[in-house]
Amino acid sequence: MAKSRLSGMRQVSFFAFFILVFCASLFAQIEIAGPQQQRPQRGNRGAGDDKIAREPSMSAKEKAANEQMQRDLLARAYGMSKDLSESDRAFLLARLAQASTKVDAEKSKKWADEVFDVSAGLPADMSRNQNEMNAMIAIAENDPDHGLQLLLKMEPPAPRDDGRPQPDMRSGAAMMLFQKYWQKKGADGIEALQSTARQLGEAGNYPYMAMTPIIRSVGRTDKDKAQGLTNEALAYFSRRTKSDMGAQQLSMFLRTNREFIPLPMLKDILSQMVTDALDTKNDTRSNAVLATFSSGRGSATMTGAANLVLFNLLPMIKEIDPEWAKKVEAQSQELKAAASLNDNQASSGPSTNRVGIVMGAPGGNMNTANMMEEMKSREVDSLLRDDPQEAMKVAEEIHDPVIRAATDARLAGEVNKTDPAKAAEMVKSAREAMARATEPGDKLRILVGLAQAQAAMKDKAGFSATLDQAYAMGEELFRKSVDKSPTLPLMARPGFDLMSRLTMAGVKLDSTATIAHIDSVRMPVLQALLLVSAAQGLDPDGRPQDGAFRMIMRS
């Protein structure tokens, strides 16, 4: 079972893993955060939070030396890229583009454009989409208009060999790019975003979720403009390419912008979407989808894209016609259970709910036993630096022993700043859990958590010993994966993500020792990737790059 946890979750992150956090059924604000853009805002900061120490600012000289080291590491990694396969090279180039946005904007743009050049000769699959998306978001940091141009160059993934569609990452790319563009240009950028949205809409791929936060922002000061944007978006409804992901995002668009949609129009759209969902309910060619809804009153699981779409539509259907809603709920016991849980939670007042969505696993073989636990662990990571008390509360909800041990270990570094005794107990418990773990992947996960804690505690001796052990274990996992599955995308290989997180923590504590460990890595592609991770770790604001989308919805 432990083995399946590691392989399953890597599979999840490759195909698509969405984490949604929202309050009851009210959607008044949406923030869409991609890799390295997570800004947790949940919870209230406690009275003792002013005691939390932050890293001291670097002097101008130290900053210059730090940035030069980052450029040198990235240059080394790029030099190794020419000896890699085209698919591995595209992945590395995308990470290079992301890591260089602050220290070398020109190189970042060059490497991002190179991703699209290399990808042009690769199969149109989700791996290619992911690389292009990361490159596009990197370019948008310094040249958002060029980012919009690249978005229009992204191609939909080709169907799988058995004819089933692959998840289309373009909608996710548009979400992050539009948010970045709005952050950079605000209301001055609305015409460019509208133009791009229209071009995507003409091709049957109107970016509904990407436009959702834009419309909400516009609506705060100009209701008429927001109304016009909503009307324009819904004008592309009849031209949409029908897909699982598209239907889910459209349903969320409708819920969020309900106030701008005339009732007759809303009822007509809902009727068509319900019909489409029911028509595809038993379609085995549709993407495999599993969603888990969790609240303070329990959890419920739904299988199939149709159930998820109907779940999102039900609040609006109940508002229009409660009897119609009952008929829709009756289509599935899973849907009925999740809807009931959602209704009960909404009636009890504001609270935080989570919806985890796994999409696109081949053949529907998804390991979902720990999906909600993984969601909570990722939420802890996003909360850790800005709201440690809330992070602790979320961690206490994790029951899987390996995930909990690794999460607690990471937390210990922050807890140590205010409660060293408690931090020591957390580290001790994590070590005991690691001793009990039998699978190398589980051991490595906990070990990396311990190393992150040691780095946060400035324990160089302890970190050095852990680094030795974790690097050896991680490279062995990575090598075995290459031997067993030579064509597996890099993002799906076990060992790499954990070693990347370890490296980022290590360079902050002892860059010389950490880079020496990277130099000893024998596999060129892994060494190149870890050089990029080291450069990211030297960035004071650098955070691990997650493959998942995180959408935070608040009332």
Side-chain angles (χ1 to χ4, degrees):
M1 182 174 181
K3 185 175 183 179
S4 65
R5 176 190 297 114
L6 175 71
S7 60
M9 285 316 302
R10 291 311 302 161
Q11 184 184 58
V12 164
S13 65
F14 169 58
F15 294 104
F17 188 12
F18 293 81
I19 303 174
L20 290 80
V21 181
F22 59 90
C23 296
S25 59
L26 300 176
F27 291 72
Q29 177 183 353
I30 295 187
E31 301 169 355
I32 306 171
Q36 294 191 325
Q37 296 170 347
Q38 299 170 351
R39 291 180 308 281
Q41 299 175 7
R42 267 199 347 142
N44 297 317
R45 301 187 66 84
D49 287 349
D50 57 346
K51 298 178 182 178
I52 296 174
R54 298 299 178 196
E55 294 298 323
S57 299
M58 289 185 286
S59 67
K61 183 177 181 180
E62 289 172 330
K63 182 179 179 182
N66 179 288
E67 291 180 351
Q68 185 59 52
M69 185 181 294
Q70 290 180 57
R71 287 190 286 270
D72 291 344
L73 291 169
L74 296 173
R76 280 186 60 191
Y78 179 72
M80 301 172 72
S81 69
K82 298 175 183 179
D83 297 324
L84 304 179
S85 68
E86 293 294 270
S87 59
D88 287 355
R89 187 180 178 205
F91 182 78
L92 175 61
L93 285 167
R95 294 186 76 89
L96 281 164
Q98 289 176 304
S100 56
T101 56
K102 291 183 180 179
V103 296
D104 198 330
E106 287 303 312
K107 283 283 181 63
S108 176
K109 184 175 180 179
K110 172 182 178 294
W111 289 333
D113 280 330
E114 197 170 341
V115 170
F116 279 81
D117 292 339
V118 174
S119 293
L122 296 174
D125 57 17
M126 216 182 134
S127 178
R128 171 177 166 178
N129 267 189
Q130 179 79 52
N131 293 333
E132 291 177 342
M133 178 179 72
N134 290 339
M136 181 191 67
I137 298 303
I139 275 188
E141 288 288 343
N142 297 297
D143 190 348
D145 288 297
H146 189 43
L148 291 180
Q149 294 170 5
L150 292 181
L151 175 62
L152 297 173
K153 290 177 63 175
M154 288 184 69
E155 299 178 10
R160 296 191 181 95
D161 293 340
D162 61 5
R164 291 182 302 113
Q166 296 190 74
D168 190 339
M169 301 294 288
R170 291 179 300 169
S171 56
M175 282 191 283
M176 289 186 284
L177 178 59
F178 277 38
Q179 183 196 35
K180 179 60 64 179
Y181 198 95
W182 184 259
Q183 290 171 349
K184 296 280 186 182
K185 300 203 173 187
D188 292 340
I190 192 65
E191 289 187 10
L193 294 178
Q194 276 187 276
S195 175
T196 302
R198 291 186 194 114
Q199 292 180 69
L200 293 171
E202 293 292 341
N205 190 42
Y206 189 88
Y208 284 103
M209 276 304 294
M211 284 300 294
T212 294
I214 308 301
I215 292 173
R216 298 304 303 178
S217 295
V218 170
R220 295 190 188 104
T221 56
D222 191 340
K223 297 286 186 184
D224 291 339
K225 178 68 172 178
Q227 179 75 66
L229 291 171
T230 302
N231 291 342
E232 179 175 277
L234 293 177
Y236 290 95
F237 174 74
S238 61
R239 305 188 217 182
R240 73 195 187 285
T241 299
K242 295 181 181 180
S243 67
D244 298 338
M245 188 180 294
Q248 288 149 18
Q249 295 191 4
L250 177 56
S251 67
M252 295 167 72
F253 175 89
L254 296 175
R255 287 184 69 176
T256 308
N257 297 298
R258 168 67 185 87
E259 65 180 289
F260 301 122
I261 307 173
L263 185 59
M265 178 187 290
L266 178 63
K267 187 172 182 178
D268 181 58
I269 292 174
L270 291 176
S271 179
Q272 292 184 58
M273 292 187 70
V274 168
T275 298
D276 291 344
L278 294 178
D279 285 346
T280 61
K281 184 179 178 182
N282 299 313
D283 186 356
T284 57
R285 293 168 62 87
S286 179
N287 282 335
V289 174
L290 184 139
T292 302
F293 177 84
S294 175
S295 73
R297 292 179 176 266
S299 62
T301 298
M302 296 175 290
T303 54
N307 276 338
L308 181 57
V309 171
L310 295 173
F311 176 77
N312 282 325
L313 298 180
L314 268 172
M316 292 177 287
I317 296 173
K318 287 179 180 179
E319 177 188 340
I320 294 172
D321 187 342
E323 292 302 314
W324 180 22
K326 290 179 182 179
K327 293 178 181 178
V328 172
E329 286 183 7
Q331 298 295 322
S332 162
Q333 283 300 118
E334 290 181 341
L335 174 61
K336 187 174 182 179
S340 176
L341 186 64
N342 193 31
D343 289 343
N344 291 337
Q345 188 66 20
S347 64
S348 65
S351 64
T352 298
N353 301 334
R354 299 180 184 87
V355 179
I357 306 170
V358 185
M359 302 180 63
N365 296 322
M366 297 178 288
N367 180 344
T368 61
N370 294 292
M371 185 174 74
M372 191 60 65
E373 304 284 77
E374 293 287 353
M375 289 169 56
K376 293 172 185 175
S377 179
R378 295 188 185 202
E379 190 175 356
V380 168
D381 287 344
S382 70
L383 289 167
L384 185 56
R385 291 201 302 185
D386 297 276
D387 197 342
Q389 291 186 357
E390 187 65 21
M392 288 285 292
K393 292 178 183 177
V394 176
E396 288 171 0
E397 300 173 13
I398 298 174
H399 303 293
D400 177 275
V402 172
I403 299 175
R404 177 62 184 272
T407 303
D408 278 356
R410 296 195 303 275
L411 270 172
E414 192 71 32
V415 172
N416 186 66
K417 297 173 182 178
T418 54
D419 192 344
K422 183 174 179 61
E425 183 61 32
M426 294 169 72
V427 168
K428 179 183 176 183
S429 295
R431 290 191 182 281
E432 291 171 350
M434 187 174 70
R436 291 191 297 269
T438 57
E439 293 296 329
D442 289 343
K443 285 183 176 291
L444 179 61
R445 181 172 189 158
I446 299 172
L447 195 63
V448 169
L450 288 168
Q452 289 173 303
Q454 290 166 332
M457 296 175 184
K458 311 299 183 186
D459 178 7
K460 282 192 175 184
F463 179 83
S464 178
T466 304
L467 189 67
D468 289 341
Q469 187 179 357
Y471 254 67
M473 194 179 296
E475 185 172 9
E476 180 68 6
L477 276 173
F478 190 92
R479 183 189 62 76
K480 287 183 177 179
S481 171
V482 172
D483 292 343
K484 182 179 179 180
S485 306
T487 60
L488 192 69
L490 285 173
M491 70 177 78
R493 293 208 181 280
F496 161 61
D497 178 68
L498 290 170
M499 291 183 74
S500 176
R501 292 170 184 271
L502 177 65
T503 299
M504 291 184 69
V507 292
K508 294 180 187 298
L509 177 68
D510 189 338
S511 60
T512 301
T514 302
I515 292 171
H517 276 78
I518 296 174
D519 290 339
S520 69
V521 171
R522 292 166 294 177
M523 303 190 70
V525 64
L526 181 58
Q527 186 181 64
L529 288 169
L530 293 177
L531 287 170
V532 177
S533 297
Q536 290 175 304
L538 289 171
D539 178 358
D541 297 320
R543 298 191 185 187
Q545 294 176 325
D546 290 323
F549 300 112
R550 178 180 175 79
M551 291 182 275
I552 307 171
M553 303 187 175
R554 304 186 188 286
S555 58

